[in-house]
Amino acid sequence: MPTASRRTRLWPYLRLAAAALGLAAIIRQLSIVVVNGSAADTEWGAHLPTLISNFFSYFTILSNIIAAVALIIGAVWALRNRTSEAADPAWLATLFLCASTYMIVTGLVYNLLLRHIPIAGIMDVWTNETLHVVIPLVMLADVLFAPRRRALAWWSILVAAIFPIVWAVYTLLRANLITGPATGDPWWYPYPFLDPHNFSNGYLAVAGYIVGIAVAIIGVAALVVWVGRRRGIRSADLTTSTSHPSPAAVSPDQR
């Protein structure tokens, strides 16, 4: 029976630690939202169901939840297969493609557009840095260094694009059905660049931002797939490598 490399043995625990950190930051930020909403003087701020549903409408929060789920599932799968150097199954590799893409884009958008804007009215340094910097860097490191990577087909980029499209449609449709908790405006958008009221040309400007972010998501997903294809194990190689491994069928972590 082959002996798993040290990185293969340790990586699941690093994933679990990162997932715990991300979930702790989400719980802390949610608690701040609830406390602030309970103490608000306005009828809109005190409506906790709206505040909570708004909280879980942020792309950052949803992406961090997806990342935590991917890290936990990936760690559990690796621990259950700890004696093997076999590649991740295709479904798990696809889940990591999506989670990594969303978190890397979250880090880029936050640090380029939103760093000095209080998201959900919160300027808590620890949670903001954890959700927008630390976890994106963790997911980037997973792309670059995680063992047992499976090379994915290029069409998997389309899978990564599904969630952002659904989220954008949901956000724009929901926006005018919600009263802004802080302002009382008859609309609420999670990010200022999605609010047409912030621009003289309204939805045209919003469309420009959405297209830009869509390009970023597809571009990052393509990079993640490219890196995976460079350093991962292709599904066709797995059959031949089980009995007669060849240098081409061995991932960089096995050499």
Side-chain angles (χ1 to χ4, degrees):
M1 181 178 293
T3 302
S5 68
R6 184 176 183 182
R7 188 193 305 182
T8 300
R9 295 194 303 271
L10 292 178
W11 207 264
Y13 299 103
L14 296 176
R15 282 176 168 175
L16 288 174
L21 179 64
L23 290 174
I26 292 172
I27 293 170
R28 173 173 168 77
Q29 196 155 64
L30 177 59
S31 68
I32 294 173
V33 167
V34 171
V35 169
N36 288 350
S38 300
D41 295 330
T42 68
E43 59 179 303
W44 310 290
H47 192 243
L48 290 182
T50 298
L51 288 174
I52 293 173
S53 63
N54 286 353
F55 179 79
F56 287 104
S57 295
Y58 282 96
F59 189 83
T60 293
I61 300 301
L62 296 174
S63 296
N64 273 275
I65 292 173
I66 292 172
V69 170
L71 290 167
I72 292 171
I73 293 176
V76 171
W77 183 89
L79 289 172
R80 294 183 64 181
N81 297 272
R82 62 170 61 88
T83 59
S84 170
E85 289 280 0
D88 296 334
W91 63 266
L92 183 57
T94 304
L95 176 60
F96 269 96
L97 162 65
C98 295
S100 301
T101 297
Y102 306 153
M103 287 311 307
I104 293 170
V105 171
T106 292
L108 291 173
V109 172
Y110 176 79
N111 287 283
L112 292 175
L113 299 176
L114 302 170
R115 171 159 284 279
H116 302 295
I117 298 174
I119 303 301
I122 299 172
M123 288 297 286
D124 185 71
V125 174
W126 182 78
T127 56
N128 279 335
E129 295 304 306
T130 298
L131 298 176
H132 298 99
V133 179
V134 176
I135 303 302
L137 289 176
V138 166
M139 298 309 294
L140 176 61
D142 204 272
V143 171
L144 298 175
F145 305 115
R148 305 160 69 140
R149 275 286 179 183
R150 175 187 290 267
L152 292 171
W154 287 108
W155 60 260
S156 58
I157 295 171
L158 300 178
V159 178
I162 293 174
F163 168 68
I165 292 172
V166 172
W167 175 82
V169 172
Y170 157 81
T171 298
L172 294 177
L173 291 178
R174 179 179 183 269
N176 292 310
L177 303 176
I178 300 297
T179 299
T183 63
D185 292 331
W187 64 80
W188 181 85
Y189 294 84
Y191 302 107
F193 57 79
L194 292 179
D195 187 349
H197 304 88
N198 290 333
F199 306 101
S200 58
N201 50 353
Y203 282 103
L204 184 61
V206 171
Y209 276 103
I210 290 177
V211 169
I213 293 173
V215 169
I217 288 172
I218 293 173
V220 171
L223 285 174
V224 172
V225 170
W226 179 79
V227 171
R229 291 173 67 86
R230 293 278 295 180
R231 62 181 300 269
I233 303 174
R234 298 177 188 274
S235 58
D237 295 332
L238 297 178
T239 303
T240 59
S241 65
T242 52
S243 55
H244 301 289
S246 65
V250 179
S251 70
D253 292 323
Q254 294 173 273
R255 294 173 183 167

